[in-house]
Amino acid sequence: MTRPPDFFRSLIVPLGQRAAVLGASGLVLLLPGLAAAQPVPHARGETGALTTTPVQDDDAAGASATTQTQDDETGARAGTTDATIAPPSESSAPGGTRTVVTATRLPRPLRDVPATTVVISRDEFERSPTLTQDALVRTLPSAATFRRTPSLVADPTAQGLNLRGLAPIARAIDADVSVGNQGTGFFGARVADRWKRVGVSLEAEGLTSNGYRIVPAAQRGTIDGDTPSRHLTGLARVEVQATDDLLLSARAGLFRESQNGGTKYTVASVDLAWFTGGARLRTQDTGTFELGLYGRTQHFAQNRARVSEDRNYEIRSAFQDVPANDQGGSFVWTGPGLTLGGTHVLAAGVDARRSAGTAQELLFPATYTPTSLFARTTRGTQRSGGLFVQDLYTVSPALEFAGTLRWDVWRNRDGYQLESRADGDTTATDFAPRTAGQLSPRLAARLRPRDWLTLRASAYRAFRAPTLNELYRPFQVGTIVTAANPDLGAERLWGTEAGVEAVSPGGLTGRVTGFWNVLDAPVTNVTLATPLPDGTTRQRQNLGQARVRGVELGADWSLARHWTLLAAYTFVDPVVTQAPGQPDLVGRQLPQDPRHRGSLSVSFDASLITATAQLRVLGPQYEDDLNARGMGGAAIVDLFVSRHLFWKLAAFAAVENLFDRSYLAGRAGVDTLAPPFQARVGLRLRDGVNARSAREERGAPVH
């Protein structure tokens, strides 16, 4: 899944109140109750949670398609998340124990992390039927992207994560090539090596697709066609173990994407370049010190269209050009263990970020008058920072507490808008600087009264400042234009959750987690009672309050040596409880958030053959805040099978939406369809991945 970050905005992770990080072993999802700080807007709801690595913003139709790397040192603020990275050695841990790395930078057994955690292992990535990582994330009922629209046809204004970018560099040669229906072709290659204390890796990926007819046949007109897209990305990484205690690292990447939304004038493109640098110093007596720096620059361009009701005619309605840049850094100290009524591991950190961007628009009104608006330029700068302290207190192997305090502050400045009209008049507006801050506490606990039973609970407060995108940049989805709002305030959230996990001797693990969140002043897209002078019918506004509560169920079962069953279900009740000035919204369900989500998968993994069958179930949901545009539920079946051929080469085939189930992905002025039947076949080279197969073929023991 690639998606470049649009740095005209600070993006958020739409994973239903879960942060996400991808490492060499896979994806780990962790509830943010332990993270304490970044906001969880529409928790488990419309747009999700923490700023670990941004995946999608609210004007994108989906997350992306190829692979873009972003580390926690570049995408996350210091100490704001307990999202975890599973190290490459997890699969070989004794007794199958998974080890993850928490925000304290300490490797921890998965069962000991005091938060409900979901791990998608590297093996599960390899045998997933999904082509893109956003589709893979959507197989988790507890994680939800903002819309059902896939990254292959989504507008390029969201961000992805990298499967490999966080792993220690070791000698490797990986490659993937596949072709499929809808003109889909994918290639990916990674070469890495290490010379004593220096490691280097290079990665490249490309994806091309003709897409599909996204508008249903009953609404389709002569202007509607396929949704072709092209995606390219490259990454270089260097690690230097300068001394036994000092690790230096640097990364740089390029990304390019172009997409067509299905008509001549619904096209968009993005170009992105970024770099990161980091240093980690471990000392015996004073702990570990980590420094991270990053910078990014991006250029985003988009055409919007005005479409006739019968969709037989369109003209260009606007062109938007958005250059932006982003810089920041963090410094984190993690102390050595202190013995005082148990073991304390203290951590503290500070971070800062600057984002600046300009949105330049050319507008093409349906009718020209002397007062018609034909150009608009908006710009702004946002500076933010924070500091945190954390104590991980282990009373005994059975009892552990984690407490965090974080102070965040943000300031918008240099906000400016210039509007030009057909008669030559111009209107300049300077937006007043704004500053706000918040103290965000968090407390979590983990109790294991029996070796097979783990109890977890947490309570937290969170905060999110409105982004430059929300403040100053309008956007369009389908035929619906949503206006920005320079008067937006920050979202603030209180939340609590509790869960239980039990492990049986027969290989069955079950989890139940309940959660309750109250979100004050959530930023959402509100339908206006009276359109704005330019005809815009929606605007970003702060609602009064929303309540999001629910329960998650999960089970993993190793049925036999080669068989694994995974089942999960999430119920969410996301309701607006207060809406001053918008009384019709009270009691409405938050948009883009089905109350019911479930999944079931069965996998077979042997030396020569790997196969997975999965069922995804989505409940009904709403497109809009008024709950007037409903979308029905759907059940989708996907398949994957891989066969080791020889040496380190395997052949694979994958099918998504096996029964070609037709269901809606959006209803923004025009209905849009989710992906139809998709199939692909390919070859996969994994340096070392098939070593087990080779040993088995030779009759050697397998460990």
Side-chain angles (χ1 to χ4, degrees), residues 3 56 60-64 134-135 138 145-155 212 214 477 592 621 623 663-667 672-675:
R3 199 55 91 156
Q56 180 183 345
S64 178
D134 65 301
R138 279 195 292 268
T145 53
F146 178 57
R147 286 189 171 88
R148 295 174 175 177
T149 313
S151 58
L152 287 178
V153 297
D155 186 80
Y212 58 94
I214 199 170
V477 175
Q592 302 295 341
Q621 65 186 62
E623 165 72 32
Y663 62 103
L664 292 178
R667 302 198 66 191
T672 53
L673 295 172

Side-chain angles (χ1 to χ4, degrees), residues 279-360:
R280 175 181 298 175
L281 176 64
R282 299 183 185 275
T283 66
Q284 184 173 358
D285 298 326
T286 57
T288 301
F289 301 86
E290 295 182 68
L291 174 68
L293 302 172
Y294 65 91
R296 295 168 282 193
T297 182
Q298 175 188 286
H299 180 262
F300 170 70
Q302 181 186 53
N303 275 314
R304 300 202 300 261
R306 183 177 296 107
V307 178
S308 63
E309 289 189 9
D310 59 6
R311 300 192 64 81
N312 289 327
Y313 176 75
E314 70 167 333
I315 58 173
R316 188 163 64 164
S317 63
F319 171 74
Q320 194 171 75
D321 186 78
V322 186
N325 62 84
D326 187 51
Q327 308 86 34
S330 65
F331 181 75
V332 177
W333 166 76
T334 303
L338 301 175
T339 302
L340 182 63
T343 301
H344 296 261
V345 177
L346 301 178
V350 61
D351 55 78
R353 180 186 182 190
R354 174 192 175 274
S355 301
T358 301
Q360 301 168 323

Side-chain angles (χ1 to χ4, degrees), residues 325-590:
N325 62 84
D326 187 51
Q327 308 86 34
S330 65
F331 181 75
V332 177
W333 166 76
T334 303
L338 301 175
T339 302
L340 182 63
T343 301
H344 296 261
V345 177
L346 301 178
V350 61
D351 55 78
R353 180 186 182 190
R354 174 192 175 274
S355 301
T358 301
Q360 301 168 323
E361 294 179 278
L362 293 178
L363 307 174
F364 306 95
T367 315
Y368 273 93
T369 68
T371 59
S372 294
L373 183 67
F374 77 90
R376 176 169 51 208
T377 298
T378 310
R379 66 171 182 259
T381 301
Q382 187 172 86
R383 295 179 178 176
S384 60
L387 55 88
F388 80 98
V389 293
Q390 178 174 272
D391 181 14
L392 183 64
Y393 176 31
T394 303
V395 181
S396 70
L399 180 62
E400 183 175 270
F401 296 97
T404 300
L405 282 176
R406 178 179 169 98
W407 172 256
D408 280 287
V409 63
W410 64 276
R411 178 174 174 81
N412 284 341
R413 54 175 297 175
D414 303 328
Y416 174 81
Q417 185 177 81
L418 177 65
E419 296 181 324
S420 302
R421 303 188 182 277
D423 59 6
D425 285 348
T426 60
T427 302
T429 304
D430 290 304
F431 300 112
R434 300 171 59 195
T435 303
Q438 177 173 300
L439 180 67
S440 300
R442 174 264 289 183
L443 180 64
R446 187 264 302 162
L447 174 64
R448 183 168 297 130
R450 296 288 186 271
D451 185 62
W452 55 270
L453 180 65
T454 302
L455 308 177
R456 298 182 177 94
S458 61
Y460 44 87
R461 191 185 188 199
F463 146 89
R464 185 179 75 89
T467 66
L468 295 178
N469 175 63
E470 294 166 333
L471 291 165
Y472 305 130
R473 177 182 172 267
F475 70 92
Q476 179 174 338
V477 175
T479 61
I480 304 297
V481 178
T482 300
N485 185 351
D487 297 321
L488 289 174
E491 300 176 334
R492 305 176 191 273
L493 175 139
W494 287 97
T496 185
E497 59 196 51
V500 58
E501 178 179 310
V503 181
S504 75
L508 174 63
T509 300
R511 292 175 297 274
V512 179
T513 301
F515 55 90
W516 186 295
N517 294 307
V518 176
L519 182 61
D520 291 320
V523 176
T524 189
N525 304 329
V526 174
T527 302
L528 302 173
T530 303
L532 298 178
D534 63 358
T536 300
T537 58
R538 290 185 187 175
Q539 185 183 40
R540 293 185 175 103
Q541 293 184 3
N542 289 108
L543 288 178
Q545 190 178 86
R547 181 208 64 217
V548 183
R549 61 187 178 185
V551 63
E552 296 176 345
L553 308 175
D556 309 341
W557 192 6
S558 298
L559 299 172
R561 179 183 177 188
H562 300 299
W563 292 91
T564 302
L565 184 146
L566 304 175
Y569 167 76
T570 297
F571 167 76
V572 183
D573 181 29
V575 174
V576 176
T577 55
Q578 298 178 22
Q582 299 282 344
D584 291 343
L585 298 183
V586 175
R588 306 283 187 183
Q589 182 176 334
L590 290 175

